[in-house]
Amino acid sequence: QVQLVESGGGLVQAGGSLRLSCSASGIRLSDYAVAWYRQGPEKQRELVASIFHDGVYPRYVDAVKGRFIISRDNAMDTVYLQLNSLKPEDTGVYYCNRPPGVSQWAWGQGTQVTVSV
């Protein structure tokens, strides 16, 4: 049974930063490509960024390019998402999972990011 655990969210003012972490039990995250998603208020869950299992070819949606950085520490079996220059429209619950197009693991609880003006 795969359990994903996201952490690091919080309340931050516009322009601020947060670092989110994704860890898992039941699997070795280091064996897989991992993506971050977010779901804003009254919005569908959307892909934010993804990274290959070996840390190469990070990809971002246009809305976060230049502001967010996805990375991983395979020794710690953790995937990170650094959120910089946050905007109110970045508010939402952030989740990690496998990238689109492959079988998803069960979704975790996510971590809430709230950006105030």
Side-chain angles (χ1 to χ4, degrees):
Q1 181 85 10
V2 178
Q3 288 190 314
L4 297 168
V5 178
E6 300 91 351
S7 62
L11 173 63
V12 63
Q13 287 187 326
S17 298
L18 287 170
R19 189 175 82 155
L20 309 183
S21 298
C22 169
S23 60
S25 61
I27 51 163
R28 291 200 330 173
L29 273 182
S30 55
D31 290 339
Y32 297 92
V34 174
W36 281 95
Y37 301 80
R38 67 184 179 189
Q39 186 167 14
E42 300 181 3
K43 294 182 180 179
Q44 289 191 330
R45 187 177 289 150
E46 61 176 355
L47 175 69
V48 173
S50 62
I51 190 167
F52 278 14
H53 73 283
D54 54 2
V56 298
Y57 302 123
R59 296 186 178 186
Y60 306 90
V61 296
D62 288 345
V64 307
K65 276 181 183 175
R67 300 188 298 120
F68 291 8
I69 302 171
I70 188 170
S71 64
R72 66 193 308 158
D73 183 340
N74 284 345
M76 297 294 290
D77 214 33
T78 302
V79 178
Y80 302 100
L81 186 67
Q82 178 70 38
L83 285 60
N84 299 319
S85 302
L86 281 161
K87 304 175 180 180
E89 51 263 44
D90 295 318
T91 292
V93 181
Y94 284 69
Y95 303 88
C96 59
N97 210 312
R98 300 188 73 187
V102 295
S103 298
Q104 304 275 283
W105 298 311
W107 292 93
Q109 296 286 332
T111 186
Q112 175 71 46
V113 171
T114 302
V115 184
S116 63
V117 297

